[in-house]
Amino acid sequence: MGRNDALKAARLRVGWRSLEKAAESLTEHGRQLLDDRQFNVSARTWRRWEGTTPGWPSEETALVIHDALGRWPEDLGFTTPPGWIRPEQHEEEERVKRRTFVSVTAAALVPGPVALQYVDPALIDYFQQQLEGHYRADMFLGPHDLIGTVSAQYQLIDKLVRSAKGETRQGLLRAGAAYAALVGWLYQDAGDMHGAAFWRGVTQEIAVRSRDPHLIGYSLVNQAQVRTDLGDGAAAIDLCEATLEDSRRLVPKVRIMAMQQQAHGASLTGDRSTVDRLLDEADGLLSRVDDDLPWGNACRRTPGYLEVQRATCYGRLGLGSQAASLWNQVLEGVPASARRDRGVYLARHATAAAGAGNPDEALEIARAAADIAIETRSARMTRELVILQRRMRPWQDSPVSRDLDGILAPVMERS
């Protein structure tokens, strides 16, 4: 077990350069905050907090730490006791949980039946055109500003499906599955994995109802993507293998998506040879992508799509130099419009640079990534920057590490 570097970084950010200064300053802060002249934290106590077994402070000390450093003890490396709930959460926690669940599920769980109405087939094209606009907006805005808009449109599609007949109904089901997939992605990018998993399930249900084998495969790849973000490589592989069992029925685009996601699963299990094999096979299919399906077009829209996946997988595998070289190539082709994606790539590039033993280069790359993370509020980007902090631990006592903490502090506060 390592030392408590999070607490050390926090005290350095507020200018407490020594353990003695930190103990003295926190004592004075606590006496003023609590109006208690007996409140005291010794240098010996602080030394233990920054050691390998920091323990847990009393509730009033936790309040003082939060007020002084802006973060709760569980965010500063302390050992969280069972059942700990932050003081301000005691009254709100259950209400927030109920409200969050209702907001996540409301658009998908509308009770019926609804009043029947005529549904014009032209609405299918309308929703497909809107979907492409949402994909573009996501690249500019990130998830938070779009979740409400896209989930509301899914709710309208769900309502129309209940009245539509024949081919119109099938077309709306296909559109509904694509919209549900996008909502799931937005929740995933916002860091709400519970919301993401719920909407990925909705996607799969609607895809099955549509009887469209391509959408069913797409929905399984979406589920695998969630599993990858959860670090469950074996489950991601299972879902992608299930997608590819009858690959002859699938358009090349879906097969590419399944192969690249399976490669991510393989990277989580440390299997480089399978990563390269799958991505090479997917590369052989790129020239055959010619469908007019409005969803899942990242392989056409993203410059260097498969090299992005390879660089990401290499980073997970600890191949810092090779990943950094690939990121240099990839970032040259990323357009200004793909700002959120560029931020994620920069964060991964910085981590690769650190893994290759270049902390100063990692720091400079992280500066640009942090600016984008603050702007877009992408939890995925923040998660990549947390990984970067861990990769920079070999330099934790150097100026470059302190500079990195300062650059990332606003990102962590916003998250």
Side-chain angles (χ1 to χ4, degrees):
M1 183 182 296
R3 297 182 62 81
N4 187 355
D5 300 317
L7 180 61
K8 178 180 178 181
R11 72 164 166 84
L12 291 174
R13 277 198 295 270
V14 296
W16 300 347
R17 295 299 175 185
S18 68
L19 302 179
E20 290 74 17
K21 176 63 176 176
E24 177 186 342
S25 298
L26 192 69
T27 295
E28 185 58 32
H29 191 91
R31 289 176 178 178
Q32 293 180 13
L33 179 68
L34 302 173
D35 193 22
D36 178 6
R37 301 309 299 175
Q38 301 304 312
F39 180 83
N40 185 68
V41 174
S42 68
R44 180 179 179 182
T45 297
W46 194 289
R47 185 174 294 105
R48 173 171 55 80
W49 287 350
E50 287 195 17
T52 57
T53 55
W56 186 256
S58 67
E59 184 162 325
E60 67 175 15
T61 304
L63 286 169
V64 175
I65 290 171
H66 175 261
D67 197 71
L69 301 179
R71 299 173 71 185
W72 290 103
E74 65 264 39
D75 300 323
L76 292 170
F78 287 85
T79 306
T80 308
W84 161 255
I85 299 175
R86 295 177 182 180
E88 85 275 14
Q89 292 178 341
H90 281 281
E91 294 182 0
E92 289 292 323
E93 184 172 282
E94 288 306 315
R95 183 160 53 232
V96 169
K97 284 181 179 178
R98 289 193 297 270
R99 186 169 64 246
T100 300
F101 182 74
V102 169
S103 66
V104 167
T105 63
L109 300 178
V110 178
V114 298
L116 294 179
Q117 64 184 101
Y118 171 70
V119 182
D120 195 295
L123 285 168
I124 298 170
D125 287 337
Y126 164 76
F127 285 116
Q128 290 179 345
Q129 291 167 10
Q130 291 282 306
L131 186 66
E132 181 56 38
H134 293 319
Y135 289 142
R136 290 197 301 272
D138 175 44
M139 291 192 294
F140 285 107
L141 297 173
H144 299 277
D145 294 319
L146 283 178
I147 285 176
T149 299
V150 181
S151 59
Q153 286 198 289
Y154 171 84
Q155 187 177 55
L156 176 57
I157 293 171
D158 179 60
K159 175 175 176 285
L160 295 172
V161 164
R162 301 183 192 199
S163 295
K165 306 293 183 184
E167 285 301 315
T168 301
R169 184 173 186 274
Q170 291 303 112
L172 286 172
L173 282 169
R174 290 191 290 271
Y179 271 79
L182 178 55
V183 178
W185 158 248
L186 293 172
Y187 274 106
Q188 191 170 343
D189 193 35
D192 185 345
M193 298 308 291
H194 296 291
F198 172 82
W199 279 95
R200 298 308 198 189
V202 173
T203 303
Q204 191 167 2
E205 178 209 320
I206 304 301
V208 170
R209 288 169 59 192
S210 76
R211 311 294 202 279
D212 185 322
H214 312 302
L215 264 176
I216 293 170
Y218 178 51
S219 72
L220 288 172
V221 173
N222 273 256
Q223 297 275 28
Q225 190 179 57
V226 171
R227 284 292 164 181
T228 297
D229 272 11
L230 292 172
D232 189 349
I237 292 169
D238 289 339
L239 289 160
C240 293
E241 286 180 343
T243 303
L244 293 166
E245 273 185 349
D246 192 4
S247 60
R248 291 172 299 178
R249 300 181 63 200
L250 301 175
V251 292
K253 179 171 71 181
V254 176
R255 292 161 63 187
I256 290 170
M257 293 175 68
M259 288 176 182
Q260 62 84 21
Q261 201 61 49
Q262 187 175 342
H264 284 291
S267 73
L268 286 166
T269 64
D271 186 352
R272 179 187 175 172
S273 62
T274 298
V275 168
D276 285 330
R277 176 181 61 78
L278 287 165
L279 293 178
D280 289 346
E281 288 180 19
D283 188 56
L285 291 172
L286 270 177
S287 62
R288 295 170 54 187
V289 177
D290 60 357
D291 61 83
D292 58 359
L293 300 171
W295 44 264
N297 286 310
C299 63
R300 288 191 276 213
R301 189 172 57 242
T302 305
Y305 173 73
L306 289 175
E307 293 312 290
V308 168
Q309 316 311 319
R310 197 184 302 269
T312 302
C313 289
Y314 280 7
R316 285 201 199 97
L317 289 163
L319 305 173
S321 296
Q322 290 152 288
S325 177
L326 284 170
W327 284 124
N328 277 323
Q329 298 172 36
V330 166
L331 283 160
E332 288 180 359
V334 178
S337 60
R339 187 158 175 76
R340 192 270 321 287
D341 285 350
R342 182 175 185 81
V344 172
Y345 300 164
L346 283 167
R348 292 174 180 169
H349 187 193
T351 300
N358 300 314
D360 292 316
E361 180 184 1
L363 177 67
E364 291 309 308
I365 297 169
R367 291 184 193 278
D371 289 341
I372 300 174
I374 293 169
E375 176 187 322
T376 62
R377 294 177 292 160
S378 168
R380 194 163 55 110
M381 205 180 308
T382 301
R383 186 168 60 247
E384 296 291 345
L385 291 170
V386 169
I387 293 171
L388 169 62
Q389 284 184 309
R390 292 201 295 267
R391 192 61 61 86
M392 290 284 280
R393 280 178 181 167
W395 300 277
Q396 62 189 18
D397 294 323
S398 69
V400 71
S401 181
R402 291 192 290 273
D403 288 347
L404 180 66
D405 287 338
I407 290 168
L408 298 186
V411 178
M412 303 310 167
E413 290 168 7
R414 286 289 298 271
S415 67

